[in-house]
Amino acid sequence: MSTNEIVTEIPGVFRIFEDGTFHRLHVTNIVPAGTDPTTAVESKDIIFSPENNILARIYIPPNKTSDHKSNKLPLLIFYHGGGFCIESARSSLYHNFLNLVVSESNVVVVSVDYRLAPEFPLPVAYEDSWDAIKWIAQHVNGNGPESWLNEYADFKNVFLAGDSAGGNIAHHMAIRVGSSCPDGLEFKGAILLHPYFWGKERIGNESTWIESMVKNLDTLWAIVSPGSSGSDDPLINPEMDPRIAGIGCPRMLVCIGGNCFMRDRDWNYTKIVEKSGWNGDLEVVEDKGEEHVFFLANPDSENACLLRTRICTFINKI
């Protein structure tokens, strides 16, 4: 008779038991879409992949006109973080953050709720994320299934963005649009907020970390991507990816936390991009003293407001 003991635990994330079942330790606070009372931003949930029952949360600002010739608004495709295994486009953290981004940047946002590991191991999240882009492309002629995109989105002015694991996804979607961009979409930039990358070789201050932290990151990647080649797989270690030079956005903004455990890994990522031969414009900003994705938990802090201002400036640069 099995005792069903815990065989793996990532603190604060999940436990995996001897019989293969698992228990998430992180409980996502799901909130409904609707009209935000503070910003007057409107949002709604739509199913973009009926066969897999995958949704996205779409946001539109109260000011639905633009200074651009098309009089339509920039479109931001956003991917949430959570190590590929927790969180949601419907969580309070991301809902509150994107209400502010939409209001301050005057953009349309499609926030993608991709399927999570370990039930759906990678590359499922990447394929769901790409399916969302293809679904968005159905609207370029103004007759797609979602009226808000038909009416308000400028498909010649599209941006990719994400935080942590979502930043990793945005990076890979930027590479993918570089080689197979759906007809009618023009990607103008990618915004990576504390993106999640990793690798076997320790870089920067990672060699001073306690062993359990390194082990947890190795273990997490092995669980969410059991079919990969390990921590040096190109999906998680961009240094091993020869496709970097093909990033399909002419501009990139990378935001780094000064006290983030991914700090050195993210600075290394910017060096990899610079050396790759990619001929775009790379902007890198570090928020001194800030922890990983601080802007979600402390949206009213000075640095969180500055980060959103950077996003606004980056998107609305003429």
Side-chain angles (χ1 to χ4, degrees), residues 240-262:
M240 302 300 173
D241 193 343
R243 307 170 301 153
I244 296 273
I247 288 173
C249 300
R251 299 164 52 225
M252 185 182 298
L253 170 64
V254 179
C255 296
I256 299 173
N259 281 357
C260 174
F261 63 91
M262 283 288 161

Side-chain angles (χ1 to χ4, degrees), residues 163-164 193-195 209 213 255-263 266 285-299 301 303-304 307 310:
D163 73 296
S164 195
L193 308 173
H194 303 190
W209 291 0
M213 188 169 184
C255 296
I256 299 173
N259 281 357
C260 174
F261 63 91
M262 283 288 161
R263 177 188 180 274
D266 289 346
V285 182
E286 178 178 320
D287 288 302
K288 303 295 183 182
E290 297 290 2
E291 303 289 342
H292 191 60
V293 298
F294 72 94
F295 47 86
L296 296 177
N298 301 298
S301 70
N303 280 341
L307 180 141
R310 279 184 224 120

Side-chain angles (χ1 to χ4, degrees), residues 106-121:
N106 207 41
V107 295
V108 176
V109 167
V110 175
S111 180
V112 181
D113 205 34
Y114 54 86
R115 288 173 290 176
L116 300 176
E119 305 100 305
F120 301 99

Side-chain angles (χ1 to χ4, degrees), residues 48 91 106 142 145 168 193 221 225 261 276:
F48 69 85
S91 81
N106 207 41
N168 175 299
L193 308 173
W221 179 250
S225 188
F261 63 91
S276 70

Side-chain angles (χ1 to χ4, degrees), residues 71-91:
N71 205 35
K72 294 202 172 183
L73 301 174
L75 173 62
L76 179 68
I77 305 170
F78 188 86
Y79 302 104
H80 70 80
F84 303 100
C85 58
I86 58 173
E87 279 301 335
S88 167
R90 298 173 295 151
S91 81

Side-chain angles (χ1 to χ4, degrees), residues 264-310:
D264 296 321
R265 192 62 59 170
D266 289 346
W267 273 112
N268 189 60
Y269 169 75
T270 67
K271 294 174 184 175
I272 294 166
V273 172
E274 288 173 339
K275 293 176 182 177
S276 70
W278 176 68
N279 60 359
D281 179 26
L282 176 63
E283 178 183 352
V284 188
V285 182
E286 178 178 320
D287 288 302
K288 303 295 183 182
E290 297 290 2
E291 303 289 342
H292 191 60
V293 298
F294 72 94
F295 47 86
L296 296 177
N298 301 298
D300 296 326
S301 70
E302 181 180 358
N303 280 341
C305 293
L306 287 172
L307 180 141
R308 294 196 305 274
T309 298
R310 279 184 224 120

Side-chain angles (χ1 to χ4, degrees), residues 146-225:
E146 173 46 52
S147 60
W148 282 4
L149 294 183
N150 290 331
E151 188 169 354
Y152 303 119
D154 181 359
F155 299 105
K156 304 292 184 184
N157 197 18
V158 185
F159 294 82
L160 295 162
D163 73 296
S164 195
N168 175 299
I169 292 173
H171 156 79
H172 284 289
M173 295 304 102
I175 291 175
R176 198 156 177 175
V177 300
S179 61
S180 54
C181 185
D183 291 343
L185 297 182
E186 291 186 17
F187 287 84
K188 296 300 179 68
I191 303 167
L192 275 56
L193 308 173
H194 303 190
Y196 168 32
F197 299 114
W198 192 230
K200 288 182 180 178
E201 183 180 344
R202 304 281 64 80
I203 61 173
N205 289 330
E206 290 174 359
S207 59
T208 66
W209 291 0
I210 58 174
E211 185 178 345
S212 60
M213 188 169 184
V214 173
K215 182 180 178 181
N216 283 338
L217 283 167
D218 285 338
T219 301
L220 177 61
W221 179 250
I223 290 169
V224 301
S225 188

Side-chain angles (χ1 to χ4, degrees), residues 63-74 151-154:
N63 177 17
K64 301 177 185 65
T65 59
S66 169
D67 294 331
H68 293 277
K69 291 180 181 179
S70 70
N71 205 35
K72 294 202 172 183
L73 301 174
E151 188 169 354
Y152 303 119
D154 181 359

